[in-house]
Amino acid sequence: ILDITTLMVLHEIGMLEIAFRLLPRVAIGKRTLVDIQNLSHPYIGGHVSMSEISEVLKNHIAQIDQPGLPWNKDDEEAISPALSEIKGLASSGRYALYVDDERARQFINLDQGESPSITTVDLLFEAERRGVLHTSDVSEKLARLIECRAIVSVQGRYFLGSIPEEVDQIDDVDTLVDILSGDETYSGMIAGLWDIRIPYERLLEHVAAQLATIALSESANVALLAAVWRTWLDKVHFRQEPSFSDSEHTASSMAIAAVHARTNPAAIKRLWDAFVLLLQTIHRERMDKTVEMQSRALVGQIAAKVANNREPEFRDTISGIMSSGLTEGTEEYDAFLDAYTEERVRLESEG
């Protein structure tokens, strides 16, 4: 059973017709149908999208159950009589609840045992499973759901699916950043996933996981890895909490990304290579070997802090994970490991 907001979301992302292909029967409460009819009426300035939704529903009327409940005093005082009706109908156990809006779900407030529930994300995954949509199509529609604030996270492969195909053969980071920033699907995806209002730790974990996913591919474009990283950095640059510099954001995400890619030294090396390319976009004409070594040392210091906050059996593995992408005995290796060791000693001495 669907509410009016879900119907609007389906229409907005171009999934309403597809929903009727995937769902042999749906239920729309009588009060919801009345709301749609009223909101689409031309004499009261009906909304165009509501008129379009109404037409789609008419075309699939044979698939639509139209259950209803008698009015009572509580319904008259309810903020949304239509949602009150859906709550009553769903609690009967006859219908699975299909509601995208989180506040509406909280209002209906049913346990899964009372009424199994789905969202448009579930429908998108089913559309891909059945071959109705490709992964890139799902990514595009997920990006639009994020823009609608209907969801706040996506699986890694759908994030990757939002990256335009034209970037594959490009190796200039600035050009890649421009392409990504100008792509409607990708920019829509990151606008929601990396919104400034989201807690920083969540943003850090999310970008680290995506960077690791890209780096784990043997055919990974290191410049693209750096460009994706840069678009994240542009999102967190103006955050006041934490008040990190771009170098600190970069070092923190490098350390966490390496943990995500810990089983693959080649992926760790790609992360380090992308890290250096990213530094060049931060420091520009100031970038030199000294800046690079200082930045690698900063990663070592932050990695030590990450290790200090992990489980005891995991603490001693982070330096090995991150140094596996470096060549032992080189200046780069020593800059990282010396800073890591010094910071670990300091943290342990402080208890």
Side-chain angles (χ1 to χ4, degrees), residues 247 272-296:
S247 294
W272 277 116
D273 291 344
F275 172 78
V276 174
L277 292 178
L278 180 60
L279 290 177
Q280 292 170 0
T281 73
I282 296 171
H283 298 286
R284 300 295 179 182
E285 67 276 1
R286 301 190 306 277
M287 181 68 181
D288 58 19
K289 197 67 175 178
T290 299
V291 170
E292 179 186 336
M293 293 304 109
Q294 290 173 343
S295 299
R296 290 180 183 273

Side-chain angles (χ1 to χ4, degrees), residues 123-182:
L123 198 69
L124 287 169
F125 293 166
E126 180 64 12
E128 182 187 24
R129 189 186 70 81
R130 295 195 198 179
V132 176
L133 295 176
H134 296 294
T135 301
S136 58
D137 299 322
V138 175
S139 296
E140 182 267 329
K141 294 183 187 303
L142 286 171
R144 294 176 71 179
L145 281 177
I146 290 170
E147 289 184 283
C148 296
R149 298 289 187 264
I151 57 173
V152 295
S153 65
V154 297
Q155 295 178 16
R157 68 193 187 99
Y158 296 115
F159 177 85
L160 298 183
S162 73
I163 297 174
E165 294 181 359
E166 64 190 279
V167 304
D168 289 344
Q169 305 305 317
I170 300 173
D171 58 8
D172 179 75
V173 177
D174 290 329
T175 300
L176 287 166
V177 170
D178 288 342
I179 292 172
L180 292 174
S181 300

